[in-house]
Amino acid sequence: MDLEHAILAILSGGAKHGYAVRRELSHALTGIRTVNQGQVYATLERLSRDGLVIAEDASPAGRRRAWVASAAGRARLRRWLARPLDLREPRSDLPARLALLAWSGDADALARVLGRQRERCATMARLLERRAAVVARRGDAAGDVVTRALQRHVAAELRWLARVEQDLAARDRCATTTVCD
């Protein structure tokens, strides 16, 4: 997911200052993506140059600006949302990393990558638990559906990582004994 479309989605709901855009992105993308303020402002400037957002002076001195999606920006967002994902393209490069490390025979590096990914998934699971509590307090039915879907995705990733680790352990046992599973 690119930041451009996420910002256009936030600004399609009305004018917001850069800090408010970042805060809403952080809430909306909890467990999906981390966004820093510098990325937000750089993307807003680029979107403005491209005519996809409009900056409005929001203070008498003109130092604070509010941003809003232009008609062209809302049209780009609608086209992006309507375009189906290409399922041939992996959503992450983790499978390629694992394949290359397995091919190279670097079992220690492979174990480190798997461990870091497992830790990342565990962190995401905790973030999503907090997000679920916030969504429940707000009574946000759509947010609840999305949060539960993300939780299922993280759980599936953890199961997949466990299976990869089991398969690698079985391969290692097979390589060192005469009996294979």
Side-chain angles (χ1 to χ4, degrees), residues 25-82:
L25 286 171
S26 291
H27 291 305
L29 301 177
T30 298
I32 300 170
R33 180 180 176 158
T34 304
V35 180
N36 71 47
Q37 197 68 28
Q39 291 173 301
V40 170
Y41 283 112
T43 304
L44 284 168
E45 291 294 338
R46 185 174 46 77
L47 291 170
S48 179
R49 275 194 316 272
D50 295 346
L52 300 173
V53 300
I54 301 165
E56 304 169 344
D57 284 340
S59 69
R63 289 184 300 201
R64 278 191 77 183
R65 291 185 283 181
W67 304 85
V68 65
S70 67
R74 289 189 306 275
R76 180 173 289 185
L77 177 63
R78 281 191 305 274
R79 285 191 304 275
W80 178 74
L81 290 170

Side-chain angles (χ1 to χ4, degrees), residues 52-150:
L52 300 173
V53 300
I54 301 165
E56 304 169 344
D57 284 340
S59 69
R63 289 184 300 201
R64 278 191 77 183
R65 291 185 283 181
W67 304 85
V68 65
S70 67
R74 289 189 306 275
R76 180 173 289 185
L77 177 63
R78 281 191 305 274
R79 285 191 304 275
W80 178 74
L81 290 170
R83 190 175 65 233
L85 295 175
D86 184 350
L87 296 178
R88 294 171 296 179
E89 296 296 321
R91 301 300 297 159
S92 92
D93 65 351
L94 179 64
R97 289 180 194 190
L98 297 177
L100 290 169
L101 287 170
W103 179 79
S104 74
D106 190 344
D108 292 336
L110 184 59
R112 282 192 306 273
V113 168
L114 286 166
R116 280 193 305 266
Q117 189 65 22
R118 193 176 342 89
E119 289 170 14
R120 173 73 175 132
C121 286
T123 299
M124 286 179 66
R126 288 188 299 274
L127 287 171
L128 288 168
E129 281 299 318
R130 288 195 295 253
R131 176 187 172 118
V134 170
V135 166
R137 276 194 308 273
R138 287 192 323 214
D140 180 358
D144 180 57
V145 169
V146 171
T147 301
R148 284 188 286 119
L150 291 169

